[in-house]
Amino acid sequence: MDLQEFKIKVLPAKQKLYRLALFLLHDKDEAEDILQDVFLKLWTQKDKLDAYNSVEAFAMTITKNLCLDKLKASIRKQMVDVTGIDLSSGDMNPYQHSELTDSMSNVQKLLAALPEQQKLVLHLRDVEGYSFEEIEQITSLTVNNLRVILSRARKSVRDGFLKLENYEIG
C-alpha cells in the first residue's frame, strides 16, 4: 500500500477513530495521542493492510485496544457528552434547559456505570452507527453476543433512567 492508497483507505476513518478514543478516554489530548499511535501502527503495517476485509474495522480494533491499555494504566472518572445536543440553545425556557441538563447528566452517569464491554458496544452501535458485523470484527464477539450485550446495556440505562425519573416525580 502506497501513501495515496493509505490516504484513501485509512484517513477517512479519522473522525470515527477519534470519537471512539475520546469516548473511552474522556480526554482530548490523550485521544489525539492514541490516534497518532493508531496511524503510526497502521503505516508501519501498510504492506499487510490489504489482507484485511475492512481496514476501518482493523483501525477501530487497534484504537480500542490502545485505549483499553491506557485505561488499565490510569483509570479516568470523567464523562463526555456524546449526544450532540447543544444545551446552550436559546429555544428553551430555563425550566426546560434545567430539566434537559439534569436528564443528560443522569444518562451520562448511567452510561458511565455500565460495564466496559456494554459501554463499548452501545457506543459503537448507537453513537457511531456500526453494523453488528463491523462491531463483530472490532470486538471479536459473535453477533448473538453483541445483540445480548446491547440489549442488556440499553435495558440497564432505560431502567435506571426511569427509576430516577419516577423517583423525582413521586
Side-chain angles (χ1 to χ4, degrees), residues 24-110:
L24 292 173
L25 297 175
H26 309 295
D27 186 297
K28 291 179 181 181
D29 293 331
E30 286 187 12
E32 290 171 1
D33 290 344
I34 291 291
L35 196 59
Q36 286 181 346
D37 291 345
V38 168
F39 284 127
L40 181 62
K41 275 186 180 254
L42 289 171
W43 180 251
T44 57
Q45 297 181 12
K46 66 182 183 280
D47 297 329
K48 301 174 186 172
L49 293 180
D50 292 328
Y52 294 98
N53 292 336
S54 173
V55 175
E56 183 178 320
F58 180 59
M60 291 293 282
T61 301
I62 292 173
T63 304
K64 175 197 71 164
N65 290 338
L66 288 175
C67 289
L68 293 177
D69 289 347
K70 178 81 97 177
L71 285 172
K72 287 176 187 173
S74 169
I75 303 296
R76 304 276 182 243
K77 297 285 184 186
Q78 298 173 355
M79 293 181 295
V80 65
D81 181 11
V82 295
T83 61
I85 295 175
D86 182 12
L87 295 178
S88 62
S89 172
D91 297 340
M92 294 183 268
N93 65 40
Y95 176 76
Q96 291 171 322
H97 182 269
S98 176
E99 285 292 315
L100 185 57
T101 303
D102 289 346
S103 294
M104 290 302 305
S105 176
N106 287 338
V107 169
Q108 287 177 336
K109 287 176 186 173
L110 291 167

